Structures are given as C-alpha cells and as structure tokens.
Amino acid sequence: MPKNKTHSGAKKRFKVTGSGKILREKAGKRHNLEKKSSKVTRRMTGTVELAKADVKPAKKLLGL
C-alpha cells in the first residue's frame, strides 16, 4: 500500500494537538474590518476545535 501525501493546503490550515484534536483558525478576520464592530472582530480571533463532522475528512487530508 503506498503512502498518502499530506494535502499542502490542509497542512497550512489545521494544527494537530498532542492529544490528537484538530484546531482551525476562525474565519472572517482578513479584510473589511472597518465595517465590522470591535465585538465581532474580537470574537473572530483565536483557534477553535474542528467540528466533529469535519474531523474524518481532515484527518484523511493530513494523512493521519
């Protein structure tokens, strides 16, 4: 069985924790920030755990 190559886009987007959870950045904090309220921009900072339904395909892309 050949090895699976890691998807280059996925490796840039996801981080795997020591316990095996997959983290992602929150979306929407790249542009048009003047229109968005401070409350909204604060809420968009940081990383969150990937949704349960997205974990299996993300692991496949990451070669886990």
Side-chain angles (χ1 to χ4, degrees), residues 25-33 36 40-41 44:
E25 291 283 327
K26 289 187 180 178
K29 202 167 184 225
R30 293 284 181 251
H31 62 96
N32 295 344
L33 297 175
K36 295 166 188 166
V40 169
T41 38
M44 288 187 287

Side-chain angles (χ1 to χ4, degrees), residues 42-54:
R42 268 198 313 278
R43 202 181 298 139
M44 288 187 287
T45 59
T47 56
V48 288
E49 198 177 327
L50 202 62
K52 189 180 175 187
D54 299 326

Side-chain angles (χ1 to χ4, degrees), residues 2 5 17-18 22 34 49 51 54 58 61:
K5 288 194 174 180
T17 63
I22 300 176
E34 289 180 337
E49 198 177 327
D54 299 326
L61 289 171

